[in-house]
Amino acid sequence: MTTAPPQPLSTGRLVAAVVALALGGFAIGTTEFVTMGLLPDIAEGVGIDIPTAGHVISLYALGVVIGAPVIAALGTRLPRRGLLLALMVAFIVGNAFTALAPGYGSLLVARLLAGLPHGAYFGVASLVAASLVPPHLRGRAVSSVMLGLAFANLGGVPAATWLGQEFGWRSAYWAVVVIAGLTIAAVTAVVPGAPGNREATVRSELGALRRPQVLLTLVVGVVGFGGMFAVYSYVAPLVTDVTGMSRGSIPWVLFAFGAGGVVGTALGGRLADLALFRSLVGTMVTTGVLLALVPLAARTPVTIVALVFSVGAAASALVVCLQMRLMEVAGEAQMLGAALNHSALNAANALGAWLGGLVIAAGLGYTAPGMVGAGLAALGLVALTASAMLRRRDLRAAAARRAGAEAEPVQVSVA
């Protein structure tokens, strides 16, 4: 697959294009995570309890899970910039419906629709960003697009949470609509056009799903990363009901998570370049240990903020490593691989929010999701172990084939 641009871009145009792509990630990250900060407000607004409101998070995640592989496979032949713009238009429609939803049922449908373009956008944007730079800089380019998601948690989510608390939760989603509109304008203005992959087919793209390493990496994302969402989905009631912080402090706790995310995203790209698989293992272990500390850290405001920052850093580094791993093992289906990462992470979102809600509804308290998260991280390590064993087996088989070819006697024909 040829991904090089027709002509090299100037430094200024290149930076502007990557920023425009990251702006879309900022909008997507804001709508995904602001729901968690506004969960009590949404529950009150549509007349449901908090565990039931967690299903709103799960439906958005389900939209990502469904949309990422389907749109990436169907859209692989389309011009990249046009596909990005179409995805942002669909994203605007889903968030506008969210802001207008009159009740719980319509809100669930609206969040499902808003989630459909999420993973595909990141898949296309990652591919476009990688095509704008030389091969040795592609990891940094993809990481830069992912920084839009990290900066959403740093600034967009706390600001939108404050906006939703002050002017009603619906206003947060109208703000997302505005950001998405700015993304359309920016992508149109500075991102160069690029053709789709005319040789690709839906069958060839989805063929990546038959690769064992792709499937194992998806399991790592779904199960291992689900632990973070088990805790983060209920961070608002955790800090108010357990730590005893005020409702107005929730945006600052979310800001700490976002700051950790920026640090972790930047660090994750470098870790992946140094040793991708070992970095996957290390970030997974670190995330699991941190989640297990939730019951202890929730005792004081200082420790809970420090923990939320650390979880944000570790989990964001893990996301970047998962993204690079999937693009590596997906072969020619790179756009699908990049999109599937977000499909897996949002399956993790749904799984984590659901399991976290179960233990809370069972009366175990708002710290119980921390132990659920640690357990899910441990299961992610099991999948990584299986992936490592499979890789070693494949390497041994390849070495044996090479040795056999070298040892094969040369047949000499005598006339």
Side-chain angles (χ1 to χ4, degrees):
M1 184 190 309
T2 301
T3 58
Q7 294 181 349
L9 299 180
S10 66
T11 301
R13 177 75 181 277
L14 173 61
V15 171
V18 172
V19 170
L21 295 171
L23 182 61
F26 182 87
I28 290 172
T30 300
T31 198
E32 179 180 15
F33 290 103
V34 75
T35 303
M36 298 156 188
L38 291 174
L39 203 59
D41 303 83
I42 293 172
E44 182 180 354
V46 296
I48 54 177
D49 59 26
I50 289 177
T52 302
H55 298 159
V56 175
I57 299 171
S58 299
L59 262 291
Y60 179 90
L62 181 60
V64 183
V65 172
I66 296 171
V70 173
I71 297 174
L74 292 175
T76 187
R77 296 169 62 90
L78 299 176
R80 306 297 190 216
R81 185 173 63 183
L83 183 54
L84 285 170
L85 295 175
L87 290 169
M88 270 292 111
V89 170
F91 180 74
I92 287 175
V93 171
N95 280 279
F97 282 175
T98 299
L100 295 170
Y104 177 59
S106 57
L107 180 60
L108 290 177
V109 174
R111 296 315 290 159
L112 177 70
L113 293 175
L116 290 174
H118 175 133
Y121 177 87
F122 277 109
V124 180
S126 295
L127 199 61
V128 170
S131 74
L132 300 178
V133 298
H136 67 283
L137 295 177
R138 286 177 182 170
R140 294 184 186 181
V142 171
S143 179
S144 296
V145 173
M146 300 290 290
L147 274 173
L149 191 62
F151 275 106
N153 281 305
L154 180 65
V157 175
T161 301
W162 173 85
L163 188 71
Q165 290 176 343
E166 294 296 319
F167 300 101
W169 63 268
R170 298 175 190 275
S171 63
Y173 297 99
W174 285 122
V176 169
V177 168
V178 172
I179 299 170
L182 293 175
T183 299
I184 290 177
V187 169
T188 302
V190 298
V191 174
N197 182 10
R198 290 295 181 182
E199 299 178 359
T201 65
V202 173
R203 184 175 181 179
S204 66
E205 287 289 301
L206 294 179
L209 291 172
R210 294 195 298 267
R211 299 187 177 204
Q213 291 287 16
V214 171
L215 295 176
L216 283 170
T217 305
L218 290 174
V219 170
V220 173
V222 172
V223 178
F225 204 76
M228 189 281 290
F229 282 111
V231 172
Y232 190 70
S233 298
Y234 302 97
V235 67
L238 174 68
V239 299
T240 55
D241 293 14
V242 179
T243 310
M245 300 171 70
S246 68
R247 182 169 169 269
S249 67
I250 293 174
W252 294 106
V253 175
L254 299 179
F255 179 86
F257 183 86
V262 171
V263 172
T265 301
L267 180 62
R270 287 162 175 76
L271 290 174
D273 288 339
L274 290 173
L276 177 55
F277 196 82
R278 281 184 288 176
S279 297
L280 263 177
V281 174
T283 52
M284 182 65 72
V285 171
T286 302
T287 301
V289 170
L290 290 170
L291 294 173
L293 294 175
V294 166
L296 294 175
R299 295 177 180 177
T300 70
V302 172
T303 53
I304 194 62
V305 170
L307 183 74
V308 167
F309 172 88
S310 300
V311 169
S316 297
L318 175 61
V319 169
V320 175
C321 291
L322 285 169
Q323 180 95 356
M324 300 306 296
R325 174 68 173 170
L326 274 170
M327 292 179 72
E328 176 186 74
V329 299
E332 290 298 310
Q334 289 187 6
M335 188 170 84
L336 180 65
L340 282 174
N341 185 40
H342 298 275
S343 185
L345 296 180
N346 280 271
N349 189 339
L351 177 66
W354 175 61
L355 291 177
L358 281 183
V359 295
I360 293 170
L364 299 178
Y366 288 114
T367 62
M371 302 312 299
V372 172
L376 290 174
L379 290 176
L381 288 173
V382 172
L384 281 175
T385 301
S387 178
M389 293 173 64
L390 180 61
R391 183 173 182 270
R392 282 197 293 268
R393 188 196 70 180
D394 291 343
L395 289 175
R396 285 196 299 267
R401 286 194 298 269
R402 287 194 300 269
E406 293 171 359
E408 184 177 345
V410 177
Q411 301 294 329
V412 179
S413 176
V414 179

